[in-house]
Amino acid sequence: MASLAIANNSDVRFLGKLLGDVIRAYGGEELFRRIEYIRATSVDRARGVAGAGSIDRGLDRLTLDETLDFTRGFMLFSMLANLAEDRQGVTAEADADLAGALARLKDEGIGHDAVVKLLGHALIVPVLTAHPTEVRRKSMIDHKNRIAELMQLKDLGLDETEDGDRIEEAILRQIALLWQTRVLRREKLGVADEVETALSYLRDVFLPVMPALYARWDRALGERAPSFLRAGSWIGGDRDGNPFVTAESMRVAVGKAAEAVLGYYLGAVHALGAELSISIEHVEVGEALLALAHVSGDDAKSRSDEPYRRALSGVYARLSATHQALTGKPAPRPAPLIAKPYDTPAEFRNELVTVARALANREEGPLATGGALGRLIRAVETFGFHLATLDMRQNSAVHERVVAELLRAGGVCDDYAALDEAARVELLRRELESPRPLTSPYADYSEETASELAIVREAAAAHAKYGRACITHYIVSMAQSVSDLLEVHLLLKEAGLYLPGSEPQAHIMAIPLFETIADLQGAPAIMEAWLAIPEVAQIAAGRGHQEVMIGYSDSNKDGGYLTSTWQLSRGSTALEPVFEKANLGMQLFHGRGGAVGRGGGSSFAAILAQPKGTVQGRIRITEQGEVIAAKYGTRESAMTNLEAMASATLLASLEPEKLAPADAERFAAAMDQLSNTAFKAYRGLVYETEGFRSFFRQATPIAEIAGLKIGSRPASRKKSDAIEDLRAIPWVFSWAQARIMLPGWYGVGAALDAFEDKGLLREMASTWPLFASTLDNMEMVLAKSDMEIAGHYAALVEDTGLRDSIFGRISEGWQATHDGLLQVTRQTRLLEKHPGLETSIRLRLPYIEPLNLLQIELLKRHRAGEDDPRIGEGILLSINAIATALRNSG
């Protein structure tokens, strides 16, 4: 496979050659030649080489065993190509670093003081979720990351690793390990597995990277920046549609996070103790440090002249005791001294600051600046004793049932569900004013109610043990009314997390998630009514802000790509005056996925495209599945992506509006028209066409995807085959596998075609970031789709009349979208203005086509009843390989 490469990427050539060597060594010369023949003919087809279309691909001559090996080979090439591409910085963006953003703001007349003022109340949080879109096992990702580390050493011109291995041989060994590592999971992932996976990123990447980023930002700002970048997680707290998330899984998630961060601190303090060998024979030490050394209990004569080491011995002992108190386990390296545990992270930080101030005694000295101690202090500020803030999430329908049962059992209301909204709000507010609990130890509650009560009580226990920062948000999915939020307060009250009185307190914020098109349109009215409730307004004022979550996935499934994008922007814009009227900061939580159909694409561009006035220095964004591995798989990529998120937030918050009001009004009116047309076209196909559900389930591997065992959540919210009940992830993932990618473009072609003023559309594409970003993301989807291959998938549909009718509409829609996009963007081909991305996708296409064709053949055999286990394994491997090659397909 020596030619598995493109001419302008030496990394791909190098890694492709090594992969070929591995396949030849472990699969044999015959397998290598078969795979290479398929690869070469596919590349020729993709390049349009004369006569290539009539060449036999050689796929039908593969045995089932060879099919499995071939699929693994192409998947591994895609994985290595992804690695090479990431290293080449294909997705790098201008001003996506803080220094670049500061320079850009300065050029626009926005000075240092304005930046510092914004950062004083800023909050930026990537929130890791367990949404199942990562098809690769962690073992595969670990080997890939090790190859990336070795490639960095190679870049430095080194021939050997620090262990004495030749670098090229070490990379070859890692590829050989990849070839011999099982790709598919044997068991379905459980919540505990998802917690462990997230912890590996938080512990190994976020913990060391974020303090290092702050050190860089301090230099760029010329002063110490506030700790505005934090880490968040849903894993172990997201119960929406996942019956496996319980109070116990929440306890495990929070406990393991605390254990990980405390272990990191212990290692850092131990290393500092070894480093700070400063003797009072050579330097004067302040009273504060001497006092800390004195109370440490470290009386070793060998350290009697080393106050820093003695002080840190005491710090380590207290931290070791904290580890025992919070985890129930002794520290990995127990302290020889007896000490009292820290009550709070602030107490730990204060003692570290005492050490730092002593080092800074001479401001001109090199020890006066950051270093390892400065990074540790920053880590404690950022991660506390909880590592990542865990969100709770549940569906509003569950809350309604639970509250109805509590009110009935408590003798308050026999039929809460029968009440109208006004009556519900009145009743809930009255209950929230009362200090008495609703629950009784003598009542017999349903399993659902008991589980929900156990969850909020576990949250209260976590607050008591780890501090309130461990759980601060409660997301209400499918929020459609004020009562949906008040119900959460009622549940929190049962655990002491909502306290009534003249100054009511909510220790966890209730946050609505607006997901469907109708919900997004109704969001401003709901939030206005919510913030008009006196006790809610009082709580929010004390906090200074209120969060609102907007969902990209379900809004897309509900209304299509263009309408979803526009209504998310419209909804955000409409919320801003509601918050301004309430004199309250607005914090938007963007529920994005990896695929464009679920809000995927560049986070930097997406944040910059947010409506002016809606970012306000505060933003949270979900990160999931394959996106987590791509963005945070290595420390280098994590630094790049976290800095891009911070820089974009800064620019979106402070840059002046570049669109004139008249232009903004014209563009919005045009988008309204485009959105309405696209919405009708999308709904007409997906929800109003008889038989569409059958077409979707037969033309895509939706049923087979369930066998991937990539997450703990069921594919549907209910036991139903209705598209409305299907989760957005398998919906998008299935269309991607079939190369149709319908959620990322359908309806847009009809909208562009029907819009008469094409000059206005071209103006919007060139001057309006939102429209430009929308078209850019859609263009990428179109480039990855393939209607010829999609036709082979459509042939799986048994009813030929249904197949021809629906696929005909899809093909016509794709062509209209393709042609309309090129006309608006003034291009002669897709991605003409994005050569880096074009090269990336063109590299992959020849490797995806044979995988698609093999998958189709295996699907036919599987659905015909053939029971050879290698057929099922081949289908799952092909799903894995295609997803890896497409990258952002979930």
PDB file of all heavy atoms in Angstrom, residues 875-889:
ATOM      1  N   ILE A 875     -20.642  -5.963   8.315  1.00  0.00           N
ATOM      2  CA  ILE A 875     -21.508  -4.780   8.269  1.00  0.00           C
ATOM      3  C   ILE A 875     -21.060  -3.770   9.318  1.00  0.00           C
ATOM      4  O   ILE A 875     -20.916  -2.567   9.039  1.00  0.00           O
ATOM      5  CB  ILE A 875     -22.978  -5.182   8.495  1.00  0.00           C
ATOM      6  CG1 ILE A 875     -23.507  -5.978   7.301  1.00  0.00           C
ATOM      7  CG2 ILE A 875     -23.842  -3.934   8.725  1.00  0.00           C
ATOM      8  CD1 ILE A 875     -24.869  -6.586   7.522  1.00  0.00           C
ATOM      9  N   LEU A 876     -20.826  -4.259  10.534  1.00  0.00           N
ATOM     10  CA  LEU A 876     -20.429  -3.348  11.611  1.00  0.00           C
ATOM     11  C   LEU A 876     -19.056  -2.736  11.337  1.00  0.00           C
ATOM     12  O   LEU A 876     -18.827  -1.555  11.611  1.00  0.00           O
ATOM     13  CB  LEU A 876     -20.437  -4.077  12.944  1.00  0.00           C
ATOM     14  CG  LEU A 876     -21.799  -4.645  13.385  1.00  0.00           C
ATOM     15  CD1 LEU A 876     -21.698  -5.283  14.766  1.00  0.00           C
ATOM     16  CD2 LEU A 876     -22.863  -3.561  13.379  1.00  0.00           C
ATOM     17  N   LEU A 877     -18.139  -3.538  10.789  1.00  0.00           N
ATOM     18  CA  LEU A 877     -16.823  -2.999  10.436  1.00  0.00           C
ATOM     19  C   LEU A 877     -16.941  -1.923   9.356  1.00  0.00           C
ATOM     20  O   LEU A 877     -16.267  -0.892   9.405  1.00  0.00           O
ATOM     21  CB  LEU A 877     -15.914  -4.119   9.936  1.00  0.00           C
ATOM     22  CG  LEU A 877     -15.089  -4.879  10.971  1.00  0.00           C
ATOM     23  CD1 LEU A 877     -14.347  -6.030  10.295  1.00  0.00           C
ATOM     24  CD2 LEU A 877     -14.097  -3.951  11.669  1.00  0.00           C
ATOM     25  N   SER A 878     -17.808  -2.173   8.377  1.00  0.00           N
ATOM     26  CA  SER A 878     -17.964  -1.195   7.294  1.00  0.00           C
ATOM     27  C   SER A 878     -18.578   0.104   7.826  1.00  0.00           C
ATOM     28  O   SER A 878     -18.193   1.198   7.391  1.00  0.00           O
ATOM     29  CB  SER A 878     -18.829  -1.771   6.169  1.00  0.00           C
ATOM     30  OG  SER A 878     -20.175  -1.941   6.577  1.00  0.00           O
ATOM     31  N   ILE A 879     -19.527  -0.006   8.744  1.00  0.00           N
ATOM     32  CA  ILE A 879     -20.097   1.195   9.358  1.00  0.00           C
ATOM     33  C   ILE A 879     -19.002   1.985  10.054  1.00  0.00           C
ATOM     34  O   ILE A 879     -18.900   3.210   9.928  1.00  0.00           O
ATOM     35  CB  ILE A 879     -21.223   0.814  10.350  1.00  0.00           C
ATOM     36  CG1 ILE A 879     -22.432   0.244   9.606  1.00  0.00           C
ATOM     37  CG2 ILE A 879     -21.642   2.020  11.183  1.00  0.00           C
ATOM     38  CD1 ILE A 879     -23.497  -0.344  10.510  1.00  0.00           C
ATOM     39  N   ASN A 880     -18.163   1.264  10.792  1.00  0.00           N
ATOM     40  CA  ASN A 880     -17.049   1.880  11.504  1.00  0.00           C
ATOM     41  C   ASN A 880     -16.095   2.563  10.524  1.00  0.00           C
ATOM     42  O   ASN A 880     -15.685   3.715  10.721  1.00  0.00           O
ATOM     43  CB  ASN A 880     -16.330   0.786  12.306  1.00  0.00           C
ATOM     44  CG  ASN A 880     -15.327   1.324  13.288  1.00  0.00           C
ATOM     45  OD1 ASN A 880     -14.429   2.056  12.916  1.00  0.00           O
ATOM     46  ND2 ASN A 880     -15.469   0.945  14.543  1.00  0.00           N
ATOM     47  N   ALA A 881     -15.764   1.847   9.440  1.00  0.00           N
ATOM     48  CA  ALA A 881     -14.787   2.368   8.477  1.00  0.00           C
ATOM     49  C   ALA A 881     -15.326   3.591   7.741  1.00  0.00           C
ATOM     50  O   ALA A 881     -14.613   4.581   7.535  1.00  0.00           O
ATOM     51  CB  ALA A 881     -14.421   1.268   7.486  1.00  0.00           C
ATOM     52  N   ILE A 882     -16.584   3.556   7.330  1.00  0.00           N
ATOM     53  CA  ILE A 882     -17.171   4.686   6.613  1.00  0.00           C
ATOM     54  C   ILE A 882     -17.259   5.905   7.525  1.00  0.00           C
ATOM     55  O   ILE A 882     -16.954   7.029   7.113  1.00  0.00           O
ATOM     56  CB  ILE A 882     -18.557   4.305   6.050  1.00  0.00           C
ATOM     57  CG1 ILE A 882     -18.407   3.254   4.947  1.00  0.00           C
ATOM     58  CG2 ILE A 882     -19.287   5.535   5.511  1.00  0.00           C
ATOM     59  CD1 ILE A 882     -19.710   2.589   4.547  1.00  0.00           C
ATOM     60  N   ALA A 883     -17.658   5.686   8.766  1.00  0.00           N
ATOM     61  CA  ALA A 883     -17.742   6.805   9.714  1.00  0.00           C
ATOM     62  C   ALA A 883     -16.365   7.417   9.950  1.00  0.00           C
ATOM     63  O   ALA A 883     -16.226   8.638  10.045  1.00  0.00           O
ATOM     64  CB  ALA A 883     -18.343   6.321  11.033  1.00  0.00           C
ATOM     65  N   THR A 884     -15.342   6.575  10.043  1.00  0.00           N
ATOM     66  CA  THR A 884     -13.983   7.084  10.244  1.00  0.00           C
ATOM     67  C   THR A 884     -13.539   7.919   9.043  1.00  0.00           C
ATOM     68  O   THR A 884     -12.942   8.994   9.201  1.00  0.00           O
ATOM     69  CB  THR A 884     -13.006   5.914  10.468  1.00  0.00           C
ATOM     70  OG1 THR A 884     -13.415   5.168  11.620  1.00  0.00           O
ATOM     71  CG2 THR A 884     -11.590   6.413  10.673  1.00  0.00           C
ATOM     72  N   ALA A 885     -13.854   7.440   7.853  1.00  0.00           N
ATOM     73  CA  ALA A 885     -13.440   8.160   6.649  1.00  0.00           C
ATOM     74  C   ALA A 885     -14.184   9.479   6.480  1.00  0.00           C
ATOM     75  O   ALA A 885     -13.606  10.487   6.063  1.00  0.00           O
ATOM     76  CB  ALA A 885     -13.656   7.277   5.420  1.00  0.00           C
ATOM     77  N   LEU A 886     -15.480   9.494   6.829  1.00  0.00           N
ATOM     78  CA  LEU A 886     -16.275  10.717   6.684  1.00  0.00           C
ATOM     79  C   LEU A 886     -15.994  11.724   7.792  1.00  0.00           C
ATOM     80  O   LEU A 886     -16.306  12.902   7.665  1.00  0.00           O
ATOM     81  CB  LEU A 886     -17.773  10.372   6.680  1.00  0.00           C
ATOM     82  CG  LEU A 886     -18.287   9.623   5.453  1.00  0.00           C
ATOM     83  CD1 LEU A 886     -19.726   9.189   5.668  1.00  0.00           C
ATOM     84  CD2 LEU A 886     -18.198  10.502   4.210  1.00  0.00           C
ATOM     85  N   ARG A 887     -15.446  11.251   8.899  1.00  0.00           N
ATOM     86  CA  ARG A 887     -15.117  12.036  10.082  1.00  0.00           C
ATOM     87  C   ARG A 887     -16.366  12.528  10.806  1.00  0.00           C
ATOM     88  O   ARG A 887     -16.823  11.881  11.733  1.00  0.00           O
ATOM     89  CB  ARG A 887     -14.188  13.217   9.772  1.00  0.00           C
ATOM     90  CG  ARG A 887     -12.884  12.815   9.134  1.00  0.00           C
ATOM     91  CD  ARG A 887     -11.784  13.823   9.368  1.00  0.00           C
ATOM     92  NE  ARG A 887     -11.247  13.713  10.735  1.00  0.00           N
ATOM     93  CZ  ARG A 887     -10.168  14.343  11.155  1.00  0.00           C
ATOM     94  NH1 ARG A 887      -9.529  15.170  10.350  1.00  0.00           N
ATOM     95  NH2 ARG A 887      -9.734  14.196  12.385  1.00  0.00           N
ATOM     96  N   ASN A 888     -16.925  13.662  10.436  1.00  0.00           N
ATOM     97  CA  ASN A 888     -18.044  14.239  11.202  1.00  0.00           C
ATOM     98  C   ASN A 888     -19.374  13.742  10.655  1.00  0.00           C
ATOM     99  O   ASN A 888     -20.117  14.478  10.023  1.00  0.00           O
ATOM    100  CB  ASN A 888     -17.987  15.766  11.185  1.00  0.00           C
ATOM    101  CG  ASN A 888     -17.853  16.321   9.787  1.00  0.00           C
ATOM    102  OD1 ASN A 888     -17.639  15.585   8.831  1.00  0.00           O
ATOM    103  ND2 ASN A 888     -17.991  17.624   9.662  1.00  0.00           N
ATOM    104  N   SER A 889     -19.668  12.476  10.901  1.00  0.00           N
ATOM    105  CA  SER A 889     -20.881  11.874  10.352  1.00  0.00           C
ATOM    106  C   SER A 889     -21.944  11.630  11.408  1.00  0.00           C
ATOM    107  O   SER A 889     -23.018  11.161  11.101  1.00  0.00           O
ATOM    108  CB  SER A 889     -20.549  10.550   9.658  1.00  0.00           C
ATOM    109  OG  SER A 889     -19.997   9.626  10.578  1.00  0.00           O
TER     110      SER A 889
END
